[in-house]
Amino acid sequence: MLGLALRSVRQRPGRFVATLLSAFLGATIVMTFNSMHDTAGADGVDKISSDTLTTAATVVGGYGTLLVFFAIASTLTVNVRQRAEEIQLLRHTGATPAQITRMVVGESVTVALVATALAVGPAALGGSLLLDLFKDSGQVATSVHYTFGPIALMSGVTVTLLASAGAAFLAVRRATKAAAGQVRRPGRARKSASWAALALGALAVTSTFAMNATDAALMAAPAYGAILLSVGFALVSTDLLRAVLHRAEPLVTALTGASGYLTVRNLRQRAAQLSGVLMPLILFTGMATATLYMQAVENDAIKASGLTRSIEDKNLETLNLTVVGIIVVFACVMLINSLYAATAYRVREFGQQRLAGATPAQVLGGVAVEGVVLTVTGVFFGTLAALAGLLPFTAVRTDGLLPHQGLGTWIAVVSMAAAATLVTSLATARRGLKVPAVQAVTLAA
């Protein structure tokens, strides 16, 4: 089956472009920050510089590992789901579930190895630029030289391979069971993980009130709490979408008429597939909003106190802004990959709609309504998770409940999420509509 996996990658490379991009970006980020461990451990590095570099590598490396798994898992889930007919054909021709699993996992591992190899150069360049950033801000001595060593390389290979193999195994396991006609209770493990993340997030957020305004780790508890709450919501995004659609159906139908009604019905049927789109939306909105506002509140509090910002304060701001940058990149990649794959797969559906009398403009209108519903749902639950962490932090740090920075940052975050969702889905749908309706139905059948 490994040989079959290699041939599949060679013969149909376009199928694996989204997975390759996710794995490439993941490996780049993981190796970039873990190269700070190599640099910190080199000869002649002073303790303050070493601590700064080690903290950056540890904190951001943890975020990066989590986001790598989500990105690759989201892309692979869509990829495997679209190959349901192929998997079913393999089952009917005598392939066992174990053989199919080895083939798909082999494909994913092959793509991950290629992605990691391609990421070495950009990661080394990114690590060098990151070290220069620390030097320019005075957090690292100018005498420190950049080192890209075994820690960076091994972490990139290990994290990317494990994430790819694990995500592929879980995705193909579900697909082979579906192909065999086995009925499973959906989402049991995911719901358990979601409840665990929500409980831990609530505990972390609540613990903020037990801390003092001047505690060095004050931001950590609500920030991690907001992240865990975002993850908890993302894990049950299918159920959340169905609940929103149930409430929103009368409003959408009233605003858009029959096309809105059909759109909502279609969204309900495809809720499981669209969960891959909601996950990055919720994670992006929740993590970016909470981190940016908490950092702004912290900066204003330090300024109001008249104190000089310490090296630790600068480190914290650098880490927070870097984490937000990672979140933006990964969330956009996850969102674009999932939307592109999900929308490109609907060429046959679009063709059937046009043969039934729908105009291209009506088809695009339906796709736009879907994008708006998805954006509103993801932004709502992401914002809810962010507020759960932000409000306790603001209350303890400033003795006020709401931050004074206004809605500008939140509007920017929401605008970015909406733009990525609508532009990707509409551009992909428009490309699919260029295929004649009869040909689209015939080719996809």
Side-chain angles (χ1 to χ4, degrees):
M1 279 293 170
L2 180 58
L4 181 59
L6 293 174
R7 285 196 296 273
S8 176
V9 174
R10 287 199 305 266
Q11 293 173 359
R12 303 185 66 180
R15 169 190 290 174
F16 304 98
V17 169
T19 305
L20 178 67
L21 180 58
S22 296
F24 169 78
L25 288 173
T28 301
I29 290 174
V30 169
M31 288 192 289
T32 294
F33 283 94
N34 277 285
S35 67
M36 297 298 101
H37 280 304
D38 292 309
T39 304
D43 295 334
V45 178
D46 61 279
K47 187 177 185 308
I48 294 178
S49 298
S50 178
D51 290 344
T52 298
L53 296 173
T54 301
T55 301
T58 303
V59 175
V60 182
Y63 282 105
T65 301
L66 176 66
L67 292 173
V68 166
F69 183 82
F70 267 104
I72 295 176
S74 176
T75 305
L76 280 173
T77 298
V78 175
N79 181 286
V80 172
R81 188 176 285 133
Q82 291 177 355
R83 298 170 63 184
E85 293 182 3
E86 176 187 341
I87 291 173
Q88 189 172 14
L89 178 61
L90 289 172
R91 291 284 286 127
H92 289 164
T93 54
T96 66
Q99 289 173 324
I100 296 174
T101 299
R102 287 197 296 270
M103 181 190 73
V104 176
V105 171
E107 292 172 353
S108 301
V109 168
T110 302
V111 172
L113 287 173
V114 174
T116 305
L118 294 174
V120 171
L125 177 60
S128 178
L129 294 175
L130 181 62
L131 180 61
D132 290 339
L133 176 64
F134 283 123
K135 289 181 179 179
D136 293 340
S137 62
Q139 300 168 72
V140 172
T142 56
S143 59
V144 175
H145 297 289
Y146 178 67
T147 302
F148 187 91
I151 297 178
L153 186 59
M154 292 306 299
S155 64
V157 173
T158 302
V159 170
T160 309
L161 286 183
L162 288 178
S164 298
F169 175 81
L170 293 175
V172 76
R173 187 168 176 265
R174 290 192 294 266
T176 51
K177 283 187 176 183
Q182 298 181 19
V183 180
R184 62 185 287 268
R185 298 180 66 179
R188 233 176 131 182
R190 178 171 288 193
K191 286 181 180 179
S192 298
S194 172
W195 280 113
L198 291 173
L200 291 173
L203 181 62
V205 167
T206 305
S207 67
T208 307
F209 293 105
M211 305 175 73
N212 296 320
T214 56
D215 286 346
L218 176 62
M219 194 184 298
Y224 278 115
I227 292 169
L228 286 170
L229 291 173
S230 298
V231 171
F233 287 141
L235 288 172
V236 288
S237 53
T238 300
D239 295 333
L240 296 179
L241 178 59
R242 288 192 174 118
V244 169
L245 290 172
H246 178 72
R247 298 282 184 180
E249 182 174 349
L251 176 62
V252 174
T253 303
L255 292 175
T256 59
S259 62
Y261 174 81
L262 294 175
T263 299
V264 171
R265 292 293 177 178
N266 185 46
L267 281 171
R268 280 186 177 180
Q269 293 179 354
R270 298 175 57 244
Q273 290 88 339
L274 292 172
S275 63
V277 177
L278 269 184
M279 286 174 67
L281 271 173
I282 295 173
L283 290 172
F284 168 64
T285 305
M287 297 170 75
T289 302
T291 305
L292 288 174
Y293 272 106
M294 286 184 195
Q295 186 59 57
V297 170
E298 177 67 18
N299 290 345
D300 288 349
I302 294 175
K303 185 177 179 179
S305 67
L307 299 175
T308 304
R309 297 179 66 198
S310 64
I311 293 294
E312 289 75 13
D313 294 328
K314 293 181 180 179
N315 285 347
L316 183 61
E317 182 176 15
T318 301
L319 288 175
N320 284 336
L321 295 179
T322 304
V323 167
V324 171
I326 293 174
I327 293 169
V328 169
V329 172
F330 252 90
C332 287
V333 170
M334 290 169 64
L335 186 60
I336 291 171
N337 279 350
S338 299
L339 273 172
Y340 176 80
T343 308
Y345 190 65
R346 299 172 64 188
V347 173
R348 181 185 183 186
E349 176 190 335
F350 295 155
Q352 290 173 331
Q353 291 176 355
R354 290 155 64 195
L355 289 177
T359 65
Q362 289 173 326
V363 175
L364 287 176
V367 173
V369 172
E370 291 178 5
V372 170
V373 172
L374 289 173
T375 301
V376 170
T377 304
V379 165
F380 175 79
F381 288 102
T383 303
L384 189 64
L387 287 175
L390 174 61
L391 296 183
F393 173 77
T394 305
V396 174
R397 190 70 177 92
T398 67
D399 293 327
L401 182 60
L402 294 174
H404 302 293
Q405 284 69 30
L407 295 175
T409 300
W410 181 80
I411 292 173
V413 171
V414 172
S415 299
M416 190 174 299
T421 304
L422 295 175
V423 171
T424 303
S425 57
L426 289 175
T428 309
R430 184 183 296 275
R431 181 180 177 185
L433 289 173
K434 291 181 180 179
V435 181
V438 175
Q439 182 182 354
V441 173
T442 304
L443 290 176

